[in-house]
Amino acid sequence: MEEILGRIKECVIVGKINASTPFPPHMKGMPGAYDYAKEALEEGVAPSEVMNKALVPAMDEVGQRFTENKIFVPQMLLSAKAMNAAMALLKPYFNSGEVKRKGTVIIGTILGDLHDIGKNLCGMMIEGAGWEVIDLGVDVSSDKFISALQEHPDAVIGMSALLTTTMTNMAPAIQAIKGYSPQTKVMVGGAPLSREFAVSIGADAYGKDPQESVKWLDSLVS
């Protein structure tokens, strides 16, 4: 079991999705994260083991390498795709309750902003860390955040902005969310933001990068 879990983890780290994908070149034609995850489940490895002993530590390693500038966005996206390929096989077990999530995170780019690369990357990392992610997309109003919160009352909200002209929309959105649900935690992130700005608008946390975002979220359930 440890061997196949190790293979899944390595495939995610290097971004090997499945046998048909050509990247990385030295693994062309070899099985990827999807293939090994499928094999593991067929051999009776518990879905929770695949999640907690392969996918979660793999994405933790990827996030650490990204933080240390050892890999960059393209490599990180490939790792996230490999993780998602394996994760697709686990979806039925999440739905049945056999595999438990740490919690739910509602993410979205703030009203007026159509940028989503950073949000998507962060969402993939958060999902890879064992959380359920509800992605509202871009140009998300406070009403949309609150509507999603009504469906997932225990969720944490992650809000992003890439433009200085749209980051100003975060404060009223947070006020509306806190007005509806004072206990809801809100994390903000994006290139023009800072920790000081996050504090000034009433956010509970500032996600400087995906790795830091995951660490803060995990601290809520540790």
Side-chain angles (χ1 to χ4, degrees):
M1 183 181 76
E2 295 300 324
E3 181 181 353
I4 197 164
L5 291 175
R7 287 176 179 173
I8 297 169
K9 179 181 176 182
E10 182 58 28
C11 285
V12 171
I13 290 172
V14 301
K16 180 61 175 173
I17 301 169
N18 56 45
S20 64
T21 52
F23 185 87
H26 72 278
M27 295 181 72
K28 186 175 181 179
M30 297 172 62
Y34 175 87
D35 308 293
Y36 284 126
K38 186 172 185 289
E39 182 182 341
L41 293 171
E42 288 173 349
E43 291 183 359
V45 177
S48 59
E49 297 283 286
V50 175
M51 180 73 184
N52 297 321
K53 292 190 176 180
L55 300 183
V56 170
M59 291 307 286
D60 185 56
E61 175 70 19
V62 169
Q64 191 61 40
R65 291 185 185 186
F66 181 76
T67 301
E68 295 171 357
N69 292 321
K70 292 179 179 178
I71 62 171
F72 302 96
V73 169
Q75 295 101 312
M76 199 173 185
L77 285 172
L78 282 168
S79 291
K81 287 181 179 180
M83 179 274 296
N84 280 333
M87 189 80 79
L89 296 168
L90 301 183
K91 295 288 186 183
Y93 302 99
F94 289 128
N95 295 336
S96 70
E98 187 174 337
V99 179
K100 300 293 184 184
R101 299 279 201 181
K102 294 177 181 176
T104 303
V105 183
I106 299 166
I107 63 172
T109 305
I110 194 61
L111 182 70
D113 202 319
L114 302 179
H115 296 86
D116 66 355
I117 293 177
K119 170 188 67 66
N120 294 347
L121 189 58
C122 198
M124 290 178 198
M125 288 293 297
I126 291 170
E127 186 174 23
W131 294 77
E132 180 182 5
V133 174
I134 310 296
D135 190 345
L136 302 182
V138 299
D139 193 25
V140 182
S141 65
S142 55
D143 287 344
K144 287 183 181 178
F145 279 118
I146 291 171
S147 178
L149 197 56
Q150 288 171 342
E151 294 184 32
H152 307 277
D154 296 325
V156 179
I157 287 181
M159 192 182 296
S160 70
L162 188 65
L163 305 174
T164 55
T165 53
T166 59
M167 60 190 275
T168 55
N169 294 333
M170 287 179 154
I174 291 174
Q175 289 172 6
I177 291 165
K178 294 286 189 179
Y180 167 74
S181 176
Q183 76 277 8
T184 295
K185 300 291 186 183
V186 180
M187 174 173 59
V188 297
L193 277 65
S194 65
R195 203 170 303 279
E196 292 72 25
F197 175 77
V199 171
S200 74
I201 62 173
D204 297 287
Y206 165 62
K208 181 181 69 174
D209 54 38
Q211 182 76 353
E212 187 170 302
S213 301
V214 168
K215 284 182 179 179
W216 179 74
L217 287 168
D218 284 348
S219 74
L220 299 178
V221 294
S222 60

